[in-house]
Amino acid sequence: MAYLAKLQVIQRGGQNRQYYLICPAPLAAALELEKGEPLQWVVLDRNTLKIRRAKGAARKPKASHE
């Protein structure tokens, strides 16, 4: 399934721009992403970005509900 997202640009001052790409909640949930988790964006080519968890980033194991 594909998720659409819009690139947002925030202009601060003269030349300062920040770009934001929002991850839709269903996608974040499917990937089990957590708030503040470090991610790496890798540019494969002009049309392809790859996102992965940063190496060495420890993930907390999910609590078991037994």
Side-chain angles (χ1 to χ4, degrees):
M1 171 172 259
Y3 290 95
L4 295 176
K6 286 187 178 182
L7 183 66
Q8 298 178 5
V9 180
I10 305 295
Q11 181 81 34
R12 293 191 174 104
Q15 296 292 333
N16 294 335
R17 286 183 298 202
Q18 288 184 306
Y19 293 81
Y20 293 89
L21 184 60
I22 305 301
C23 179
L27 179 58
L31 295 172
E32 297 180 359
L33 296 177
E34 297 177 6
K35 179 181 178 179
E37 184 174 351
L39 303 171
Q40 293 178 331
W41 295 83
V42 180
V43 179
L44 298 180
D45 59 47
R46 186 175 173 209
N47 296 311
T48 310
L49 291 175
K50 180 178 179 181
I51 186 172
R52 62 182 173 199
R53 288 183 166 88
K55 290 184 180 178
R59 294 190 66 218
K60 296 179 210 168
K62 284 197 161 198
S64 173
H65 298 289
E66 296 179 23

